[in-house]
Amino acid sequence: MNLKACSKHTLNPLMLLLLVLLVSACDNTPEQSIMRQGLVFCSEGNPDTLNPQFATSGIAFDAGGRTLFNRLVQLEPGTSTIKPSLAESWTISEDGLRYQFTLRRDVQFHTTKYFQPSRAFNANDVLFSFNRQRLQAHPYHFVSRRSYPYFDSMGLRELIIDIKKIHNYSVEFHLARPESPFLSILAMEFASIFSAEYAQRLLEEDQQELFDLFPIGTGPFVFVRHVQDSHIRFHAHPQYYKGPEKIKYLVFAITPEPSLRYARLTAGECDVMANPLPAYLNLIHKNKTLDLYQMTGLNIGYWAFNTTKPPFDDIRVRRALNHAINRQAIIHSVYLDSAEIAESPLPPSIWSHHTELPSYTYDPVIARKLLKEAGIEQLEIDIWAFNIQRPYNPDSVKMAELIKRDLEQIDIKTNIVTLEWSSFIHRVSQGQHQTALLGWTADNEDPDHFLTPLLTCDAAMTGSNRAFWCSKDFDGHLNSARKITDPNQRADLYYQAQETFKSEAPWLTIAHATQYIAARSHVKNLKQTPSGGVYFSGVYLER
Amino acid sequence: MWVVVIKKISSAIISILSITLVIFLLLKTANTQSLDAILLNDNPLSDTSLITQYRNYLTNIINGNWGYSSINNQPILQEVIALIPATIELTFFATLMALLIGLIAGTVATIFRHTFIDFFVLLISFVGYSVPIFWWGLITMLVISLDWGLTPVSGRIGFLFDIEPITGFMLVDVFLNDVSNRWEAIKSIFNHLILPAMVLATVPLSIIARTIRAALIEILQKDHILSAFARGISGVKIYWIHAIRNALAQSMPIFAMQIGALVMGAIITETIFSWPGLGKWLIESLNRGDFPAVHGSTIMLIFIIIVINSLLDIASAIINPRLRKF
């Protein structure tokens, strides 16, 4: 309907009625244009924060890290190549201790109702973003009273000795030791760049707590509103340094219930949905108006034993539990065969994945024997599961039930405790669990980003090591690997680390799941992140 | 008249007080730490008498100190107030629908009583009365939204419409916001509203239809109606002026009792249709163990039920003078 068509009609009484109807139809035009320019993403859960410095779950990175912010450098989607982002170039000193970045001069922060920037991005913003996480004396360090799980678990507090501003568009990072994955660390979401000017203004108004609730970044989309458990609204950043996005509006419709998510996608209320249930994959595949995107996942689903709590401090008990579970059955009935059995915490597509790790075969007899050796006759354990679907685990409650059934065979009583996602993560990171079903998706393809946040002693302090397992050998291998740049030597050390992990068995490694997203077919140029999330930058609609 | 108003108000206050007492005692036995902010007085060690504690609890509730969510540390009262308009909007339209359709169906059944139409209305209302809401909601969603594509699956408005919550009532906010495509937004709101409102209205609608039918049949046998018919006054006039009004006044207490059912139904309906109201929040808070939120939404729902019931009692006393004696 356009106005021309409406004005063609001559006026006679009958036509008048028709005209009224047509005029009301003409009202549709702006609405249709909104529909043409906007994209709705049915996401899996309510992010606990939009600030990627605090976040540990992919849900929060989708909503905050990738949409609102940029980093100094970025990973080329789908590869492990480092590309310039807010830094246009960099030099590394010969001893590998000094990284000097030259910053872009044309990057604008978001302009919103609550903040109007007076200057473009510069070195002060880089200093602010890192020093907030690094220095306890920083005025923003304790604002929002949250910890910095990535920054701490990767040991950056010790690694970075100093960050110097050389001039307005140049900064230098001074490291304590050579760290080969440092650039790929800077590409991770927690290293996002925030506006120092915005922070300063809120400090003057004594409203620091608003800083993390109403974020300001340089990223492709601008924050509009977050209604808890309902939706998050963004619009395109008009002065985005790579040029404004083609989709003008972006809405995250928070839909934890997977069947409802699928229903919303087929009904056309969403354009993209996260994580279709394995049961729906076939239907999506057959539906001509929907596209299915899949990618070998950089993930691991595992069952963590809290090694600080008896009897899980006993290696024999952990090995017994490893022998007791039939993982093939889990792959078949929980993942519907869209996953493979995991032996190592590293997925096969990551270099330095150990292909010849010994496996704990499914054997209740050995399990029973090991328990007897450990002097355990009666055992009752809790398994914590969560109520939403994650890329590495489509149905943790069902998985817990299968585990329960296997454990009954070796006379272990099991209580399944199901928790809502954000309280689950919160309580597990405090170590309140005995055992918990968990998982991890990597943020980039460096093995260090799998092993360091999940299994080192540092990570046990911050709680992202959910087994609270601390092994000097394991940490030693990782520490030496980080100082070496030769990939072959690094790989050798990671092999040894994986062997230590396997023999100590702080987890039962369960599965590496294939990752899916589904979209209506008018959505083009959609790319998955290695972590199972979505890149909305560059997406356009074609109807 | 004023005596009735005062009596009703005082009985409402007494019910609220006794319910807070029950909740308080339950909380004392449950002893959840997250609720200490509401339960504890300023100096918990020096004063342990239960009565003082209850007084403090009550003071906190009245002063709006409902504690903080254990998930995101937001003040509970603020969240409850932000969510309640969605629930009221849904319940209001469901009530409207139940009254309107129930009244028409009841009247039609009376006019054609003991015929096929009457039997049909009775049968449908019987089924509607017995159907479990959660099943009924899922089925209507499956058939009407997914199979026929007539209404959206869930939510309050199309996601791309940007309506800033000012009052929280979508249909009010849509006029307060500067929306370029207002009529489309209103259409979208009604599209989203119709199915959940219908599901929520089902049970009260059936009860209202049956009550109206029973009341009308009783009234139609009264002498003054019979004599009106004998005098040849038109049927429409008799029904409208003498029968339906009286039947309404007589059925008012039964309608009032439906408010409780509506609010309880709203919790289920909101959960099924992802309607972002108080009921859905209550269920989600239960799932994530956010006890201050559960406590706050329960208290608010109880307040609403008691207040509306008292208002309806007063209203029926105004309509029906005979009730003023009680």
Side-chain angles (χ1 to χ4, degrees):
Chain A
M1 285 303 151
N2 57 38
L3 269 168
K4 260 187 189 167
C6 294
S7 57
K8 271 181 192 169
H9 299 285
T10 48
L11 292 178
N12 70 45
L14 243 178
M15 277 295 172
L16 197 66
L17 185 70
L18 200 66
L19 189 72
V20 170
L21 288 174
L22 278 173
V23 166
S24 62
C26 289
D27 276 354
N28 282 350
T29 327
E31 189 270 337
Q32 281 175 350
S33 69
I34 273 205
M35 293 303 180
R36 274 170 194 279
Q37 294 166 350
L39 184 130
V40 180
F41 171 56
C42 274
S43 65
E44 298 148 282
N46 197 38
D48 52 343
T49 173
L50 291 176
N51 181 342
Q53 296 177 332
F54 302 144
T56 47
S57 82
I59 290 173
F61 290 138
D62 268 346
R66 278 186 290 277
T67 43
L68 295 170
F69 298 100
N70 292 114
R71 271 62 58 188
L72 288 176
V73 293
Q74 64 180 15
L75 285 172
E76 178 90 337
T79 66
S80 47
T81 327
I82 304 287
K83 292 265 177 173
S85 178
L86 295 185
E88 53 188 21
S89 63
W90 55 87
T91 52
I92 307 172
S93 68
E94 274 187 16
D95 56 5
L97 293 178
R98 284 169 197 276
Y99 287 67
Q100 189 174 335
F101 294 90
T102 309
L103 309 178
R104 294 183 71 104
R105 288 163 189 258
D106 56 349
V107 180
Q108 297 294 334
F109 279 101
H110 301 153
T111 303
T112 61
K113 276 184 190 166
Y114 51 88
F115 176 66
Q116 294 80 35
S118 68
R119 63 165 178 81
F121 155 76
N122 67 28
N124 293 335
D125 301 313
V126 180
L127 256 59
F128 168 79
S129 309
F130 285 93
N131 285 344
R132 176 181 185 187
Q133 305 184 73
R134 198 166 70 92
L135 307 171
Q136 296 210 345
H138 193 272
Y140 268 89
H141 187 78
F142 293 106
V143 168
S144 297
R145 297 182 298 279
R146 300 277 296 247
S147 62
Y148 301 94
Y150 270 92
F151 197 85
D152 292 350
S153 68
M154 308 198 91
L156 292 190
R157 205 185 291 276
E158 294 77 38
L159 179 70
I160 301 175
I161 299 178
D162 193 19
I163 306 174
K164 265 204 306 249
K165 170 179 166 182
I166 294 176
H167 58 78
N168 250 347
Y169 296 98
S170 176
V171 283
E172 187 185 75
F173 286 73
H174 186 187
L175 305 188
R177 52 166 199 274
E179 172 90 356
S180 45
F182 188 62
L183 279 178
S184 56
I185 290 176
L186 291 187
M188 291 168 71
E189 278 85 1
F190 81 91
S192 294
I193 303 300
F194 290 73
S195 166
E197 190 196 359
Y198 179 46
Q200 187 56 36
R201 184 157 319 164
L202 289 179
L203 203 61
E204 282 159 13
E205 292 166 4
D206 198 24
Q207 294 199 301
Q208 297 94 309
E209 69 282 2
L210 296 183
F211 188 78
D212 300 311
L213 295 176
F214 296 92
I216 293 283
T218 57
F221 295 96
V222 181
F223 176 77
V224 179
R225 195 172 304 117
H226 177 191
V227 181
Q228 291 283 335
D229 295 315
S230 169
H231 64 269
I232 314 169
R233 182 179 301 281
F234 305 94
H235 68 75
H237 180 18
Q239 294 122 8
Y240 188 44
Y241 78 95
K242 291 180 189 167
E245 291 297 326
K246 284 182 185 145
I247 41 176
K248 288 235 169 78
Y249 309 94
L250 175 66
V251 180
F252 278 47
I254 298 162
T255 322
E257 168 61 40
S259 308
L260 180 59
R261 206 154 62 227
Y262 174 68
R264 279 182 166 171
L265 182 77
T266 43
E269 284 167 51
C270 300
D271 302 294
V272 182
M273 79 174 271
N275 246 331
L277 273 185
Y280 294 131
L281 293 176
N282 216 358
L283 286 171
I284 296 173
H285 205 69
K286 279 184 197 154
N287 191 331
K288 282 193 182 126
T289 60
L290 303 179
D291 288 338
L292 187 65
Y293 296 74
Q294 71 178 72
M295 186 170 176
T296 321
L298 284 185
N299 61 36
I300 169 83
Y302 61 93
W303 182 27
F305 312 121
N306 187 342
T307 55
T308 57
K309 289 191 178 171
F312 307 103
D313 51 348
D314 189 330
I315 187 169
R316 288 167 298 194
V317 175
R318 302 200 298 259
R319 283 181 180 163
L321 294 175
N322 263 276
H323 277 297
I325 310 301
N326 184 356
R327 288 179 291 174
Q328 193 57 52
I330 291 177
I331 302 278
H332 184 67
S333 36
V334 178
Y335 295 87
L336 303 183
D337 296 318
S338 65
E340 55 184 290
I341 291 190
E343 296 299 349
S344 158
L346 293 179
S349 53
I350 283 196
W351 64 274
S352 79
H353 163 81
H354 198 314
T355 45
E356 281 149 21
L357 277 180
S359 171
Y360 291 101
T361 47
Y362 167 56
D363 194 338
V365 179
I366 302 180
R368 214 186 271 267
K369 209 177 107 202
L370 281 165
L371 281 181
K372 209 171 180 185
E373 278 173 26
I376 285 171
E377 283 174 3
Q378 270 197 333
L379 184 59
E380 188 170 341
I381 64 172
D382 286 346
I383 302 182
W384 284 24
F386 47 88
N387 65 349
I388 63 167
Q389 171 208 5
R390 297 294 300 135
Y392 44 76
N393 194 339
D395 189 344
S396 75
V397 179
K398 193 170 178 186
M399 187 185 280
E401 279 158 6
L402 288 175
I403 291 176
K404 179 178 180 163
R405 198 191 57 193
D406 284 342
L407 291 182
E408 271 166 10
Q409 294 187 355
I410 57 167
D411 303 324
I412 296 180
K413 270 196 194 157
T414 319
N415 306 314
I416 299 174
V417 182
T418 312
L419 293 163
E420 189 270 341
W421 175 247
S422 38
S423 60
F424 174 81
I425 286 295
H426 185 67
R427 292 169 66 175
V428 164
S429 61
Q430 290 178 339
Q432 296 183 19
H433 60 294
Q434 271 194 322
T435 73
L437 290 173
L438 287 148
W440 181 259
T441 37
D443 308 281
N444 66 45
E445 305 196 12
D446 199 291
D448 194 69
H449 300 327
F450 253 97
L451 304 175
T452 303
L454 293 183
L455 290 159
T456 55
C457 303
D458 273 350
M461 301 287 287
T462 60
S464 68
N465 176 347
R466 320 285 199 204
F468 296 88
W469 174 67
C470 181
S471 153
K472 291 227 164 67
D473 283 354
F474 184 86
D475 272 26
H477 296 317
L478 292 195
N479 284 335
S480 5
R482 256 185 251 123
K483 293 187 189 123
I484 304 171
T485 39
D486 176 33
N488 288 331
Q489 285 178 359
R490 273 185 81 191
D492 271 344
L493 287 161
Y494 289 129
Y495 289 151
Q496 289 171 35
Q498 287 169 68
E499 280 160 17
T500 314
F501 162 85
K502 197 70 190 178
S503 84
E504 290 259 338
W507 303 347
L508 166 68
T509 49
I510 298 174
H512 303 298
T514 311
Q515 283 166 356
Y516 299 94
I517 48 174
R520 299 194 68 79
S521 37
H522 61 253
V523 180
K524 304 289 176 193
N525 200 25
L526 193 65
K527 288 200 187 79
Q528 280 175 285
T529 71
S531 49
V534 187
Y535 287 111
F536 287 105
S537 185
V539 171
Y540 63 95
L541 306 176
E542 193 178 272
R543 303 194 203 218
Chain B
M1 181 66 221
W2 288 109
V3 179
V4 178
V5 174
I6 290 164
K7 266 186 182 169
K8 287 295 170 197
I9 290 176
S10 51
S11 84
I13 290 172
I14 291 169
S15 345
I16 288 176
L17 281 182
S18 43
I19 281 171
T20 49
L21 182 64
V22 170
I23 291 177
F24 168 76
L25 290 174
L26 280 175
L27 291 181
K28 282 313 282 183
T29 47
N31 200 14
T32 48
Q33 270 188 349
S34 48
L35 286 162
D36 281 355
I38 335 170
L39 287 174
L40 290 183
N41 38 0
D42 300 333
N43 197 349
L45 289 176
S46 67
D47 202 335
T48 47
S49 110
L50 216 59
I51 295 167
T52 326
Q53 284 184 27
Y54 175 61
R55 209 179 57 207
N56 276 306
Y57 168 74
L58 212 58
T59 324
N60 277 331
I61 295 293
I62 292 166
N63 288 341
N65 173 15
W66 289 22
Y68 295 86
S69 155
S70 57
I71 298 299
N72 59 8
N73 274 327
Q74 295 296 306
I76 294 293
L77 186 62
Q78 200 180 309
E79 299 240 335
V80 167
I81 289 173
L83 287 165
I84 209 148
T87 305
I88 293 180
E89 201 168 62
L90 175 64
T91 321
F92 175 76
F93 278 95
T95 315
L96 214 63
M97 218 179 218
L99 275 178
L100 214 67
I101 302 176
L103 200 64
I104 293 171
T107 316
V108 167
T110 321
I111 294 172
F112 299 100
R113 61 184 170 278
H114 310 309
T115 68
F116 174 72
I117 296 174
D118 183 26
F119 173 74
F120 185 71
V121 170
L122 282 179
L123 182 77
I124 293 288
S125 67
F126 185 68
V127 173
Y129 177 60
S130 343
V131 74
I133 297 189
F134 66 90
W135 178 85
W136 178 228
L138 285 175
I139 289 296
T140 48
M141 189 205 259
L142 208 65
V143 175
I144 299 179
S145 302
L146 284 176
D147 272 12
W148 301 346
L150 292 180
T151 61
V153 181
S154 62
R156 281 179 88 184
I157 188 171
F159 285 110
L160 286 169
F161 292 102
D162 184 14
I163 310 272
E164 192 183 353
I166 298 170
T167 60
F169 296 98
M170 267 304 174
L171 280 167
V172 180
D173 287 341
V174 77
F175 289 101
L176 298 178
N177 271 278
D178 186 26
V179 200
S180 56
N181 36 0
R182 186 164 289 142
W183 291 109
E184 278 306 313
I186 292 171
K187 204 175 125 193
S188 172
I189 293 172
F190 275 110
N191 261 339
H192 281 81
L193 191 58
I194 184 117
L195 204 58
M198 189 190 89
V199 168
L200 183 53
T202 306
V203 174
L205 187 155
S206 314
I207 293 172
I208 287 172
R210 292 172 81 89
T211 319
I212 285 283
R213 179 183 173 278
L216 270 180
I217 288 178
E218 190 195 321
I219 288 167
L220 285 176
Q221 280 156 5
K222 293 258 166 80
D223 293 343
H224 68 283
I225 301 278
L226 291 177
S227 65
F229 271 115
R231 283 181 200 160
I233 297 173
S234 82
V236 177
K237 224 173 181 178
I238 295 174
Y239 266 96
W240 184 236
I241 295 179
H242 301 289
I244 293 181
R245 283 189 185 185
N246 284 329
L248 267 179
Q250 196 176 322
S251 317
M252 204 66 172
I254 292 172
F255 296 171
M257 276 166 67
Q258 298 311 309
I259 296 295
L262 269 168
V263 173
M264 291 304 116
I267 297 176
I268 301 167
T269 316
E270 284 179 5
T271 310
I272 293 173
F273 289 95
S274 295
W275 188 267
L278 200 57
K280 177 169 170 262
W281 193 58
L282 171 64
I283 300 291
E284 276 165 1
S285 305
L286 262 176
N287 279 333
R288 52 186 163 219
D290 188 354
F291 293 110
V294 176
H295 169 258
S297 38
T298 315
I299 291 242
M300 187 48 110
L301 288 173
I302 291 170
F303 279 5
I304 292 176
I305 294 177
I306 291 179
V307 167
I308 294 181
N309 266 321
S310 318
L311 287 179
L312 283 174
D313 279 351
I314 293 170
S316 41
I318 294 169
I319 296 172
N320 189 348
R322 274 181 300 173
L323 288 173
R324 288 180 200 166
K325 284 174 197 154
F326 299 105

